[in-house]
Amino acid sequence: MKWIACSLFLLSGIVAQGQVHERVRVLLLEDTTTPPKYDTSYVKSYRNNVVVSLVTAYADASIDLSDTNGHELAYTTNNAERYGFGLNYKWLSAEFTFGVPLLDAPDPALGKTTSRGFGLGMTGRRIWARLGWSEHSGFYLENTREILPGSDGTDPLIVRRDLEDRHFVGTFDYAFNFKRRYSQNATLYQMERQKRSAGTLIAGASIWNTRIRADSSLVPFALLDTFPSEARFTELRRWIVGTNIGYTHTFSFWKKGFINAAVVPGFSVQFLRLQSAEGVGTDHTTPGGSLAIRMGAGFNGDRWYTALTMNVLVHSGMASEAVQLSLMQAWARFAIGIRFPGPNWHRLERWGL
């Protein structure tokens, strides 16, 4: 919670008038009292409207551990769909979702997963920044039947209620968008509309902090002799500092329909600390890679909109000379929303609202 409070404080400092250089402030917030600084034949803005959405979301997380001999452990969460609502106005985006067991109950045979998350972001014309935190507790071994010695294919999947992960992430991306024809807000939040097809090259940087821990080794007892000793850790802490470059494009059709795709690969340096069940810690510094993929489609009218967006983020690198660790987060979001005239509150202007 301290980290969330610090994020809110930093974000408020960024958007407050006079707290950052005017040029950066305009890049982030734009000045709605001056003529638009984007190609209005490509982008229609609804930034002065309040956008209210009903949201259905699904998130999944996985931890994949493999060795140089081809053995692999594939842990994944047993999440359910979440329902809620979103609110977007100018630079501000807030979304709240929660589980409704009567609508979507997860399979009890795969154990119970609890998950929490929080995010803050800014999506300007050319600068995109985000701070986020997520946590999952409770995984099951998806490939139990393939790797368990003597399995006849009917064995129940191994459930790890003690296994948990936690992620803090900060990202900063610059969209080259030289002709200012592409709108990220149209793609993600439908606060604008992409009237004509356009795309942009993206370059950025990110920093991650990950912690994975369990009461016992991530390698099940029956497989201890199969995997190298480095894989038998009970806790891992990893700092990732990376850069990325990629491309995103929105295809517009029938004036109000759209399809979006983005592919952003990256390179990173990873600083890891592994701790064994005996409390012995080992440190490693290794290169790593990342890949972010997004697909989306929807209808974006003047008053109503609907959109489906799917994201996949993968980080992979060697945890030791013999063990590779890959972390994946995937989430899907379906929303239907309506726009209302924005409030005329002068006190909000100093915050860019």
Side-chain angles (χ1 to χ4, degrees), residues 140-299:
Y140 68 92
L141 189 59
E142 194 173 19
N143 61 335
T144 300
R145 298 186 178 103
E146 289 77 16
I147 64 174
L148 197 65
S151 173
D152 61 1
T154 62
D155 304 83
L157 301 186
I158 294 176
V159 174
R160 295 294 301 268
R161 297 179 180 86
D162 61 314
L163 180 57
E164 61 181 41
D165 71 359
R166 184 201 64 194
H167 305 277
F168 293 112
V169 60
T171 61
F172 180 90
D173 291 296
Y174 180 81
F176 289 86
N177 204 14
F178 293 120
K179 297 182 179 180
R180 298 178 184 259
R181 291 177 173 176
Y182 174 81
S183 170
Q184 184 79 334
N185 268 317
T187 298
L188 296 183
Y189 307 114
Q190 289 71 57
M191 294 176 65
E192 296 181 333
R193 182 199 299 160
Q194 192 75 53
K195 297 162 66 175
R196 298 166 64 182
S197 300
T200 181
L201 190 69
I202 309 163
S206 62
I207 183 168
W208 288 71
N209 174 249
T210 297
R211 185 196 68 195
I212 299 171
R213 67 181 182 184
D215 294 342
S216 59
S217 167
L218 264 69
V219 179
F221 181 79
L223 300 171
L224 286 179
D225 294 333
T226 304
F227 284 79
S229 58
E230 298 98 317
R232 304 170 193 168
F233 61 87
T234 59
E235 183 171 348
L236 174 144
R237 294 180 181 269
R238 178 165 73 172
W239 280 95
I240 302 173
V241 180
T243 60
N244 57 263
I245 186 167
Y247 186 78
T248 181
H249 198 96
T250 296
F251 301 91
S252 299
F253 57 93
W254 300 334
K255 295 184 179 181
K256 298 179 180 180
F258 71 91
I259 295 175
N260 173 263
V263 178
V264 186
F267 173 81
S268 63
V269 177
Q270 306 179 99
F271 309 92
L272 302 99
R273 182 171 181 82
L274 301 175
Q275 183 169 303
S276 67
E278 294 76 24
V280 178
T282 57
D283 298 318
H284 302 277
T285 300
T286 64
S290 65
L291 178 64
I293 299 174
R294 183 180 67 241
M295 295 291 294
F299 169 83

